[in-house]
Amino acid sequence: MQKTFKNEKILFAEPLFQCDGLAGFTRSELYENAIHRTLRINQLKKEHNWTQEDFDIAIRCLNYEVGFVIHLSMFIPAIERLATDDQKAKWLPLAESYRILGTYAQTELGHGTNLMALETTATFDPRTDEFVLRTPQLSSMKWWPGSLGKTATHAIVLAQLIIGNKNYGMNPFMVQLRSLEDHMPLPGIIVGDIGAKLGANSNDNGFLILNDVRIPRENMLARNSKVTKDGRYIQTSTNKANYATMVLVRLSIIRWAEDTIKNGSLIAIRYSAVRRQSSLQAGGPEMQVLDYQTQQYKIFPSLAASYALFFTYEAMMKEYEIAYAQIMRGNNQLLGQIHGQLSGLKAFASDLVTYELEMCRRSCGGHGYLKASVVGETLLHTLPLVTVEGDNTVMYLQCARYLLKQIAKALAGQDVDEPTSYLKKDILSYTCPVQKGEHCTNPNYLLKIYTQRAHSAIASVARQLQFDLESGKDQSSAFNNNLVSLVQAAKAHCQLCLMKNFVESVSALERTCSENLASVLRQLCLYFGLHGIVTASGEFLESEAIGLQQLEWIKAEELKSLAAIRPNAVALVDAFDLHDQTVMSALGRYDGNAYQHLFEAAKREPMNQTQVPPAYYKYLRDLIKGQPLAKL
Ligand SMILES: CCCCCCCCCCCCCCCCCCC/C=C/C(=O)SCCNC(=O)CCNC(=O)[C@H](O)C(C)(C)COP(=O)(O)OP(=O)(O)OC[C@H]1O[C@@H](n2cnc3c(N)ncnc32)[C@H](O)[C@@H]1OP(=O)(O)O
Ligand SMILES: Cc1cc2nc3c(=O)[nH]c(=O)nc-3n(C[C@H](O)[C@H](O)[C@H](O)COP(=O)(O)OP(=O)(O)OC[C@H]3O[C@@H](n4cnc5c(N)ncnc54)[C@H](O)[C@@H]3O)c2cc1C
């Protein structure tokens, strides 16, 4: 599942990467530890001639608990995508050698989603051939960018370009924030950390106020548009190309989601295999909780999601690379498709894993509430994914907007993109594919059900929008009246994509892997499909892709699938090939000694380093001895 990291032994031989001790770290300690780790991984990369992929896998092995995440995942990719060749030649070597440390400063205190309303301005001054950057009011200050608080020496600042009295929209500008001599903020720059978060506290997300900061004209990243010395704005590509960095990170978030749900399902399944509690026969031996049907019902969805997201990431990475190669050659034909697909899938993947991670945590009982179980920490660390790189609702709506355009093309007899080719079918020509119970044991039949449900959801909201418009509603009212259905249609399309990628990937693997493995993967794929229908049965019934009889068969088959997966559940998470130090959980260790590791973790608890707590001498001693307490 995860390309086995041949360098694991090297990485985890160093105490710096042994994660047991992170509990109890202060924010400053977490921050320093994260920086130390990334720079040490960089040294290991040089010492052992690791590839960039090895470097990325090392960071994933550490669950992204490293420094410079935005520098690596946004600042550098943004230069690659938004800068001219000359600008790349200047800035990339500095960024790649960490001579400058960057962030991607787009979101403001007052706006994150609505990029058109960003308030930061970059006003061209032809007298000095400079841009003057300004955050005009409190709500304009940049707020959230990672590494902005204490680390970044430079930021790619997204600002409204003003020439004369005209606003040319959001454009990217390279702005130096701190001195490269003493790291002090430069004149006009007010910068700092925005404070503690629910998780990911090693990251110094920051704020930035720009008070008439002047930068040379050449600091506008000018691949897609530029300003001439005499103040003319020349657009060389669609201004949406300036959004390209976000598309890449949305793809990376799908992989981040895959990595975290693998951790969660591994912990839950391994712990459920060793935890014995109660029994179904009076006086009988206590059962492995993994044998309870309800426990399987709680945690096998995370197992199936791990594989579904793995296959979807692989498929989307190929789709992205094709689109990106064309875009970098100036051909934006696939820009809309890749944006629509990745907006929706980033949202669906992050929604899916945050839900299933909580189910994994709950399945561990009381111990799931301990930091040492790590499932809760993983959830806290994953929660931002439903917001970063675009709030999920907004991302679903972008996907829905793409789907509406595609179905309009289909209905007009025009070509549509491959991911939406199913929309070419006549919506009235669908017949329920599952005519007998045994059809529910074939993922290909289920795929037809998902296809019909997605097509029905998109066609239905398109019709409703058309009806509202023809009834006299203006565009924005018609849209706002149908946002819930638009999100539902986008989710239906995304769930179809996951199922399609799962079915096609298993089908491709069958041609090369053993029948035993093929059978296990087919079973998991089948379960993923069955469970998805059961959990959204209302929508599937509404689409007429299934009736009550089919739903009855599907529910029965889903429960049978649980029992079929049970014998291979532990092997399926072992197949993730995750090092104990990656999983970090006392409940999910490969040796299965959960209780011993829990106790070891408790003994490392800082409070246990002394037998008698300081509070005893301040408060408890007099209390226990019945002596009057001094005034508190
Ligand atoms: C990457 C690997 C590196 C490896 C290095 C080592 C490893 C390092 C660490 C591991 C990597 C981890 C990776 C994950 C890191 C995650 C960190 C995240 C930190 C967070 C960062 C951020 O949050 S950055 C800020 C993100 N902000 C947003 O996403 C804002 C959301 N809002 C918008 O995008 C837009 O406002 C909008 C899309 C909602 C609206 O756009 P607009 O206002 O322009 O109006 P329209 O809706 O009318 O759109 C017009 C038109 O444009 C098209 N369009 C919109 N967006 C895009 C796009 N992104 N791309 C292409 N086209 C786009 C839209 O479809 C419309 O087209 P029409 O043809 O007109 O219909
Ligand atoms: C951990 C973390 C790291 C981040 N790192 C960075 C970074 O490095 N660089 C950066 O620039 N930004 C960063 N961000 C900011 C992030 O990109 C924004 O928070 C995100 O884009 C959401 O925007 P918002 O916060 O303005 O939410 P809002 O858009 O204000 O969302 C509030 C509510 O309004 C709803 N809503 C908003 N618009 C619409 C609409 N059109 N239709 C329907 N509903 C709508 C949303 O669904 C949501 O429920 C980070 C955020 C977090 C949490």
Side-chain angles (χ1 to χ4, degrees):
M1 277 293 281
Q2 170 163 310
K3 294 179 177 62
T4 302
F5 186 35
K6 59 183 184 297
N7 306 305
E8 224 166 48
K9 286 189 175 54
I10 298 169
L11 187 70
F12 290 122
E14 307 209 357
L16 176 63
F17 302 117
Q18 290 162 18
C19 310
D20 297 346
L22 285 185
F25 269 36
T26 65
R27 274 206 71 199
S28 295
E29 289 164 339
L30 287 170
Y31 167 71
E32 274 186 39
N33 178 271
I35 290 173
H36 186 180
R37 283 170 154 208
T38 301
L39 297 181
R40 181 60 190 139
I41 293 172
N42 228 27
Q43 285 179 343
L44 290 172
K45 181 180 178 215
K46 289 180 184 133
E47 289 163 18
H48 300 275
N49 294 318
W50 288 357
T51 64
Q52 180 61 34
E53 186 181 19
D54 290 330
F55 178 84
D56 294 359
I57 293 178
I59 283 182
R60 292 170 61 199
C61 282
L62 296 171
N63 298 303
Y64 307 88
E65 267 292 344
V66 295
F68 309 120
V69 169
I70 301 304
H71 177 80
L72 295 164
S73 63
M74 295 200 77
F75 183 70
I76 291 175
I79 296 171
E80 290 166 340
R81 287 157 180 75
L82 307 181
T84 62
D85 292 345
D86 289 347
Q87 291 172 326
K88 283 186 210 173
K90 174 180 179 182
W91 297 109
L92 273 182
L94 293 170
E96 286 164 350
S97 60
Y98 297 82
R99 298 290 304 282
I100 62 173
L101 303 172
T103 185
Y104 181 87
Q106 177 176 286
T107 302
E108 298 171 354
L109 195 55
H111 291 92
T113 289
N114 186 4
L115 300 184
M116 307 289 257
L118 288 179
E119 297 167 356
T120 302
T121 57
T123 305
F124 182 58
D125 182 348
R127 291 170 299 115
T128 61
D129 200 28
E130 294 172 318
F131 293 104
V132 181
L133 275 97
R134 179 175 301 133
T135 49
Q137 57 191 358
L138 180 70
S139 57
S140 319
M141 81 167 80
K142 294 300 179 183
W143 185 277
W144 271 115
S147 298
L148 175 60
K150 313 307 287 183
T151 311
T153 61
H154 287 68
I156 292 173
V157 175
L158 284 300
Q160 305 292 350
L161 169 63
I162 311 291
I163 304 173
N165 295 319
K166 187 172 179 187
N167 182 339
Y168 289 87
M170 191 181 83
N171 280 275
F173 299 85
M174 181 67 79
V175 183
Q176 183 171 347
L177 307 175
R178 293 174 179 271
S179 156
L180 299 183
E181 295 308 315
D182 61 9
H183 208 57
M184 287 298 286
L186 296 177
I189 302 275
I190 300 173
V191 67
D193 185 278
I194 62 172
K197 303 174 287 286
L198 286 178
N201 277 304
S202 58
N203 191 338
D204 52 317
N205 300 85
F207 62 81
L208 169 66
I209 294 170
L210 297 162
N211 290 326
D212 294 346
V213 175
R214 287 181 171 268
I215 61 174
R217 177 165 55 89
E218 69 196 22
N219 276 35
M220 174 175 161
L221 300 186
R223 176 181 185 79
N224 302 314
S225 47
K226 65 180 181 181
V227 175
T228 62
K229 193 169 173 55
D230 58 356
R232 283 178 297 113
Y233 178 74
I234 297 173
Q235 191 163 340
T236 49
S237 174
T238 164
N239 57 1
K240 294 313 164 197
N242 279 338
Y243 288 6
T245 311
M246 291 184 279
V247 176
L248 167 72
V249 179
R250 287 165 191 157
L251 173 66
S252 301
I253 285 172
I254 295 171
R255 184 169 66 174
W256 190 324
E258 173 212 333
D259 288 342
T260 58
I261 197 59
K262 286 192 314 198
N263 280 355
S265 64
L266 178 147
I267 295 165
I269 286 174
R270 280 185 179 169
Y271 178 62
S272 298
V274 298
R275 178 73 169 181
R276 288 181 177 276
Q277 200 69 201
S278 319
S279 68
L280 290 178
Q281 295 128 355
E286 288 202 279
M287 281 173 60
Q288 290 169 282
V289 295
L290 189 56
D291 288 331
Y292 290 115
Q293 186 188 61
T294 46
Q295 188 79 355
Q296 295 164 8
Y297 199 79
K298 272 188 253 184
I299 59 183
F300 285 176
S302 65
L303 174 64
S306 300
Y307 281 80
L309 287 176
F310 169 77
F311 291 127
T312 283
Y313 175 76
E314 294 298 313
M316 288 312 298
M317 185 176 60
K318 293 188 183 85
E319 198 174 312
Y320 174 80
E321 284 173 348
I322 293 167
Y324 176 58
Q326 288 189 17
I327 291 162
M328 294 315 276
R329 289 197 299 271
N331 173 357
N332 292 315
Q333 187 187 355
L334 290 176
L335 187 59
Q337 174 187 321
I338 201 66
H339 165 57
Q341 286 286 94
L342 287 176
S343 296
L345 288 169
K346 172 267 181 193
F348 193 86
S350 52
D351 273 351
L352 179 63
V353 301
T354 44
Y355 177 83
E356 296 302 352
L357 274 172
E358 171 57 9
M359 294 312 292
C360 290
R361 192 196 64 75
R362 291 182 186 200
S363 73
C364 298
H367 303 335
Y369 196 63
L370 278 170
K371 282 201 168 191
S373 79
V374 173
V375 187
E377 292 288 288
T378 303
L379 175 58
L380 284 179
H381 204 58
T382 305
L383 281 179
L385 299 188
V386 302
T387 305
V388 300
E389 230 46 62
D391 164 87
N392 277 2
T393 301
V394 173
M395 291 297 102
Y396 283 128
L397 291 171
Q398 283 294 305
C399 178
R401 175 186 179 129
Y402 167 68
L403 297 172
L404 288 175
K405 281 192 274 184
Q406 291 294 301
I407 198 167
K409 284 184 174 180
L411 293 172
Q414 296 167 11
D415 287 343
V416 296
D417 297 336
E418 192 283 325
T420 58
S421 54
Y422 62 94
L423 298 176
K424 292 284 279 184
K425 184 181 172 76
D426 175 357
I427 188 83
L428 300 175
S429 68
Y430 283 101
T431 55
C432 178
V434 170
Q435 291 305 320
K436 45 189 175 183
E438 65 201 61
H439 289 163
C440 302
T441 62
N442 182 332
N444 290 296
Y445 280 90
L446 302 187
L447 186 56
K448 293 176 192 284
I449 292 174
Y450 277 84
T451 303
Q452 183 173 345
R453 174 261 192 141
H455 193 163
S456 168
I458 298 162
S460 166
V461 68
R463 278 196 306 272
Q464 187 57 48
L465 271 168
Q466 191 59 31
F467 175 80
D468 285 355
L469 290 169
E470 286 166 0
S471 313
K473 282 195 175 62
D474 63 58
Q475 177 97 8
S476 57
S477 302
F479 246 80
N480 201 42
N481 273 17
N482 291 282
L483 290 183
V484 172
S485 302
L486 284 164
V487 168
Q488 200 170 306
K491 286 180 179 179
H493 172 75
C494 292
Q495 197 167 24
L496 167 60
C497 290
L498 262 68
M499 185 63 187
K500 183 170 179 285
N501 290 326
F502 207 151
V503 170
E504 289 177 352
S505 301
V506 170
S507 171
L509 279 170
E510 280 172 336
R511 293 194 279 273
T512 54
C513 73
S514 69
E515 177 45 32
N516 277 348
L517 175 58
S519 158
V520 171
L521 290 174
R522 265 197 307 271
Q523 183 62 54
L524 196 62
C525 177
L526 175 69
Y527 170 70
F528 179 78
L530 294 165
H531 182 69
I533 294 170
V534 172
T535 50
S537 53
E539 291 178 39
F540 283 91
L541 287 167
E542 189 180 17
S543 71
E544 296 180 350
I546 58 170
L548 290 175
Q549 174 60 72
Q550 284 77 15
L551 181 57
E552 190 183 321
W553 288 334
I554 286 167
K555 288 174 78 172
E557 209 51 53
E558 182 199 23
L559 296 180
K560 277 190 222 165
S561 283
L562 295 174
I565 291 169
R566 168 63 184 88
N568 300 303
V570 176
L572 282 163
V573 295
D574 287 351
F576 296 158
D577 194 20
L578 296 177
H579 194 284
D580 276 349
Q581 281 297 347
T582 291
V583 180
M584 299 188 293
S585 169
L587 303 184
R589 294 291 171 96
Y590 187 73
D591 65 13
N593 296 328
Y595 299 155
Q596 178 198 329
H597 294 304
L598 272 181
F599 187 45
E600 292 301 322
K603 286 192 281 187
R604 288 194 298 272
E605 161 58 39
M607 282 190 79
N608 290 328
Q609 302 327 301
T610 56
Q611 272 309 329
V612 178
Y616 172 78
Y617 302 100
K618 288 182 188 173
Y619 306 107
L620 304 181
R621 180 175 49 189
D622 294 348
L623 200 64
I624 293 167
K625 294 183 176 186
Q627 289 163 8
L629 283 181
K631 182 171 172 34
L632 296 176

